[in-house]
């Protein structure tokens, strides 16, 4: 019967790792003042009728901490890319010089920093909710096994293990949030 419990614990840990990975991905989309290609991760371009990620229609580079340049693979995509960046509403004003698109990343105001910190906190809270939902599902599965005849002691120790995993991953989320808030608030 402990094989089922091992399976429950493994899948619980895997799901919790998934929540952490998702949080890290969301944190990449929250800009912290320095230019990064990840800032344009959510921009999709209308490439001959198909919504295509910006990185697949142009070369994205960061020559310095305040500038992002986009070199389209096809010249006729310049205006389409420019429009897609404006439509994405990520706070950038692209400039087109005929060959490349240049984006100046403006320094963050104090108010914008606070908004970004709130956004980071919200993403972290969503990740914690995900972790708690995984814990609830695991505990439900363990209770089912207990009703099917698995020893009460084994089930109790499995529930304790699930709670330990929950505590560890919640702590990891708090650490990621603290690091992201520090990055955002650093002038």
């Amino acid at each position: 019967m402990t094989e089922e419990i091992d399976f429950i614990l493994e899948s619980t840990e895997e799901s919790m790792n998934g929540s952490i990975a998702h949080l890290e991905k969301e944190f990449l989309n929250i800009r912290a003042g320095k230019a990064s290609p990840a800032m344009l991760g959510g921009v999709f371009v209308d490439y001959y009728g198909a919504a295509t990620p910006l990185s697949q229609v142009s070369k994205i580079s960061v020559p310095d901490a305040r500038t992002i340049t986009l070199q389209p693979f096809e010249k006729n995509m310049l205006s389409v890319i420019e429009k897609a960046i404006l439509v994405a509403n990520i706070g950038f004003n692209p400039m087109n010089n005929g060959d490349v698109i240049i984006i100046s990343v403006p320094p963050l105001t104090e108010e914008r920093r606070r908004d970004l910190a709130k956004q980071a906190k919200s993403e972290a809270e969503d990740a914690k909710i995900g972790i708690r939902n995984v814990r609830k599902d695991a505990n439900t599965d363990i209770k089912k096994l207990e009703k099917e005849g698995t020893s009460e002691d084994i089930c109790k120790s499995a529930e304790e293990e699930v709670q330990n995993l929950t505590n560890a991953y919640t702590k990891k989320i708090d650490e990621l949030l603290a690091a992201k808030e520090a990055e955002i608030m650093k002038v």
Side-chain angles (χ1 to χ4, degrees), residues 13 23 26 35 48 69 81 96 99 102 146 153 156 177:
E13 189 163 8
L23 177 65
E26 290 301 316
Y48 299 109
T69 59
I81 291 172
N96 174 350
D99 290 326
I102 301 166
E146 191 174 349
D153 291 343
K156 283 287 178 225
L177 175 62

Side-chain angles (χ1 to χ4, degrees), residues 18-125:
S19 289
I20 295 290
H22 178 74
L23 177 65
E24 289 171 336
K25 186 173 163 244
E26 290 301 316
F27 276 177
L28 283 178
N29 293 334
I30 299 174
R31 70 184 190 97
K34 271 181 23 182
S36 156
M39 293 176 169
L40 300 172
V43 178
F44 288 85
V45 178
D46 180 20
Y47 186 67
Y48 299 109
T52 309
L54 183 60
S55 59
Q56 292 182 11
V57 295
S58 69
K59 178 181 173 240
I60 303 173
S61 57
V62 183
D64 61 56
R66 292 261 175 250
T67 312
I68 301 173
T69 59
L70 303 165
Q71 175 91 45
F73 299 136
E74 298 175 28
K75 271 249 203 278
N76 64 336
M77 293 301 293
L78 277 169
S79 61
V80 178
I81 291 172
E82 209 171 355
K83 182 180 172 199
I85 292 168
L86 290 170
V87 168
N89 197 19
I90 50 179
F92 293 143
N93 193 13
M95 294 174 293
N96 174 350
N97 72 3
D99 290 326
V100 294
I101 294 174
I102 301 166
I103 300 172
S104 292
V105 179
L108 296 172
T109 63
E110 187 63 32
E111 182 181 344
R112 183 71 179 134
R113 287 180 196 279
R114 280 197 213 100
D115 288 345
L116 291 173
K118 273 186 203 166
Q119 185 182 347
K121 203 170 273 183
S122 170
E123 292 295 344
E125 192 52 45

Side-chain angles (χ1 to χ4, degrees), residues 157-172:
S157 72
E159 285 176 355
E160 286 173 15
E161 183 60 34
V162 168
Q163 185 58 47
N164 290 342
L165 284 172
T166 303
N167 294 344
Y169 280 94
T170 302
K171 185 173 184 250
K172 197 179 235 180

